[in-house]
Amino acid sequence: MHTHSHNRATLGGKLSAVLVAAGSSVGLGNIWRFPYVAGDNGGGAFLVIYILCVALLGLPLMIAEFTVGRASHLNAVGAYRALDKRWSFLGYNGVVAAFLILGFYFVVSGWTAEYMVHSVTGSLAQYTTAAEYESIFTNFIRNPWRPVLYTTLFALATHFVIALGVQKGIERSAKVLMPLLFVILIALSIHSLLMPGGEEGLRFFFKPDFSKVTPSTVLVALGQAFFSLSIGIGTMVTYASYFKPETNLRHTALNVTILDTMVAVLAGVVIFPAVFSVGIEPSSGPSLVFITLPSIFNGMPLSMVWSAVFFLLLVVAALTSTISLHEVITAYLHEEWHMSRRAAAWSTTLATTVLGALASLSVGVLSGWTLFGLNLFDLLDYVTANILLPVGGFFTCIFVGWKLDRQVLRDQITNNGALKFRIYGLFIVLLRYLCPAVLLLVFLDNLGVF
């Protein structure tokens, strides 16, 4: 196996590996998507199923992706090629998925940045009803130039971090952004818990009512676990390729999944008490964050402060994810196309900004352009979450579970025998049988087979 590790950057210690990988997995999926998906699917029962999905499926798959990345010390495409060149399509699936996800992720990230600016300037505070917030949101996302401007600014902020490189850019930003994210979340949850009528929201979120569970609840929880942990898109393979030889892959994966789940749970604690306190339906969809919350913040003392802090949280969460998606493409261009890191980063930024601008316009001016009845923004979201991610996850299970050299797998997981792994057998069973079977079900369900 040829590896270019002699001149390749590595991440610092254990903490860096965890923070960087957690930064990749913690994002809008946890804070923007998780609460409304949980709200739509009955709250507490969904939470229990989600945690099971993360433990039984997310964790083994993350360890599998870490193994591929560190065994090869290469980008997503190079990693699979080095281990078995017939499987390099898995790397390409990851690079394409990262590119398409960035197309709509930059747009939503731009919205969060716009809202943060509005909160700071106080212009969000002059409205009162949810209907007014709805019309502001709709007018804003349909505006031809403002969202595009924010999308571009967000892409440039991401570019700036990537251009600094792995240690100075990615690692340093994760060490600042991740703790900041937790501090903001904890402050907001305490605030939410003190709201009148908030207990109702906590009961909804933490008291499982399994009578509401349907087979689709389970599939949605699985999809959310994948989306949230950013598995199946090459980010974990790419980041693990920067891990040091002594990094414990299992502990790192376990810590990342715990942090990721904590963020999702805290986001629920921030949002549900607030929603119930005002008497709004918890299942108000993707607009929960942009329409429901501003009207909630507005009724609070210091509403500008809380609103600005909350949207800052979203900006931080979005940035840690866009950085990891950008790095997948940049590392690929840098190593496979032999571009300088700088040229690779600029090419990625320009291409994803153009896609992002088109996705942004597809919600407004270009909404007439549809494919399969979806505008570009929704199409990018649908194709990545429902096709590319499950396909990437499914084939990763097959590759690591069945095809990858047993010795390579064991060496990576035990750091060449230095660590014990008592449940190795269970890990293999999950990876070979349970994970692919469930992923296949999710995939077929997404395509409407059931």
Side-chain angles (χ1 to χ4, degrees):
M1 248 180 325
H2 60 285
T3 57
H4 306 291
S5 45
H6 56 275
N7 57 2
R8 196 180 164 80
T10 51
L11 294 167
K14 289 180 197 161
L15 184 66
S16 295
V18 171
L19 288 178
V20 164
S24 164
S25 63
V26 169
L28 294 176
N30 305 62
I31 298 168
W32 163 67
R33 199 168 184 263
F34 179 79
Y36 81 75
V37 172
D40 279 341
N41 289 281
F46 178 81
L47 180 63
V48 173
I49 296 169
Y50 172 75
I51 291 173
L52 280 172
C53 291
V54 166
L56 290 175
L57 299 155
L59 193 55
L61 255 168
M62 190 177 288
I63 297 171
E65 292 204 352
F66 279 173
T67 300
V68 171
R70 194 177 62 182
S72 60
H73 289 294
L74 289 164
N75 64 82
V77 173
Y80 286 102
R81 184 186 302 126
L83 296 170
D84 184 341
K85 59 174 179 291
R86 291 166 303 185
W87 287 78
S88 47
F89 73 89
L90 251 178
Y92 286 109
N93 181 72
V95 173
V96 170
F99 177 70
L100 298 180
I101 290 172
L102 270 183
F104 73 91
Y105 215 93
F106 273 150
V107 179
V108 181
S109 306
W111 298 346
T112 65
E114 158 102 3
Y115 267 69
M116 185 180 85
V117 171
H118 280 325
S119 304
V120 173
T121 57
S123 63
L124 266 188
Q126 59 200 10
Y127 305 98
T128 47
T129 63
E132 285 179 304
Y133 282 107
E134 190 155 353
S135 74
I136 302 169
F137 180 64
T138 313
N139 292 336
F140 165 61
I141 64 172
R142 289 188 182 156
N143 182 304
W145 63 273
R146 267 194 2 239
V148 174
L149 175 70
Y150 277 98
T151 298
T152 309
L153 288 172
F154 212 96
L156 289 171
T158 306
H159 175 85
F160 175 70
V161 174
I162 292 288
L164 287 171
V166 174
Q167 283 147 338
K168 287 195 178 122
I170 298 173
E171 187 175 342
R172 203 177 281 171
S173 68
K175 282 182 170 167
V176 175
L177 296 174
M178 289 308 292
L180 176 66
L181 186 116
F182 270 97
V183 169
I184 299 173
L185 261 176
I186 290 165
L188 283 166
S189 349
I190 293 170
H191 186 278
S192 223
L193 292 175
L194 300 174
M195 291 179 77
E199 314 81 63
E200 221 12 71
L202 284 182
R203 201 168 300 129
F204 172 77
F205 188 41
F206 287 117
K207 194 176 171 201
D209 171 5
F210 289 107
S211 66
K212 294 192 175 138
V213 175
T214 61
S216 81
T217 314
V218 180
L219 295 170
V220 171
L222 257 167
Q224 176 60 28
F226 257 62
F227 189 87
S228 173
L229 291 170
S230 58
I231 293 170
I233 45 175
T235 51
M236 294 302 170
V237 173
T238 305
Y239 273 178
S241 71
Y242 302 125
F243 287 177
K244 289 187 161 168
E246 61 273 18
T247 303
N248 181 329
L249 297 188
R250 279 167 299 146
H251 284 181
T252 305
L254 183 64
N255 289 332
V256 170
T257 47
I258 289 171
L259 283 176
D260 186 76
T261 307
M262 272 170 66
V263 171
V265 170
L266 279 170
V269 172
V270 171
I271 288 169
F272 291 119
V275 166
F276 275 86
S277 168
V278 194
I280 298 171
E281 271 303 303
S283 55
S284 49
S287 59
L288 189 71
V289 165
F290 295 103
I291 296 168
T292 316
L293 287 174
S295 56
I296 292 173
F297 289 132
N298 215 2
M300 307 196 302
L302 300 175
S303 66
M304 269 170 70
V305 178
W306 289 112
S307 182
V309 166
F310 178 77
F311 285 106
L312 171 66
L313 166 74
L314 282 182
V315 166
V316 169
L319 191 58
T320 57
S321 296
T322 56
I323 289 168
S324 68
L325 290 161
H326 196 296
E327 178 61 24
V328 171
I329 310 165
T330 302
Y332 162 70
L333 292 174
H334 174 46
E335 291 172 14
E336 301 293 313
W337 293 73
H338 308 296
M339 292 171 136
S340 70
R341 187 164 170 97
R342 200 169 156 212
W346 271 118
S347 309
T348 305
T349 302
L350 291 171
T352 49
T353 306
V354 169
L355 183 64
L358 290 170
S360 177
L361 293 170
S362 77
V363 184
V365 194
L366 303 179
S367 58
W369 294 11
T370 58
L371 196 60
F372 308 114
L374 297 171
N375 62 32
L376 180 62
F377 180 91
D378 293 332
L379 186 70
L380 292 174
D381 186 4
Y382 181 84
V383 168
T384 51
N386 296 307
I387 300 171
L388 298 179
L389 286 173
V391 164
F394 177 79
F395 284 110
T396 302
C397 296
I398 302 296
F399 176 66
V400 179
W402 294 94
K403 297 289 178 207
L404 183 63
D405 183 334
R406 279 287 145 266
Q407 201 51 48
V408 172
L409 181 58
R410 212 176 255 282
D411 287 350
Q412 287 303 321
I413 293 181
T414 61
N415 289 6
N416 298 323
L419 306 166
K420 291 258 186 294
F421 190 20
R422 293 195 182 81
I423 55 166
Y424 181 77
L426 174 66
F427 168 71
I428 293 293
V429 168
L430 289 174
L431 207 53
R432 283 187 159 190
Y433 304 103
L434 185 69
C435 298
V438 175
L439 280 165
L440 196 59
L441 283 176
V442 172
F443 182 64
L444 294 173
D445 180 62
N446 288 340
L447 296 181
V449 176
F450 300 130

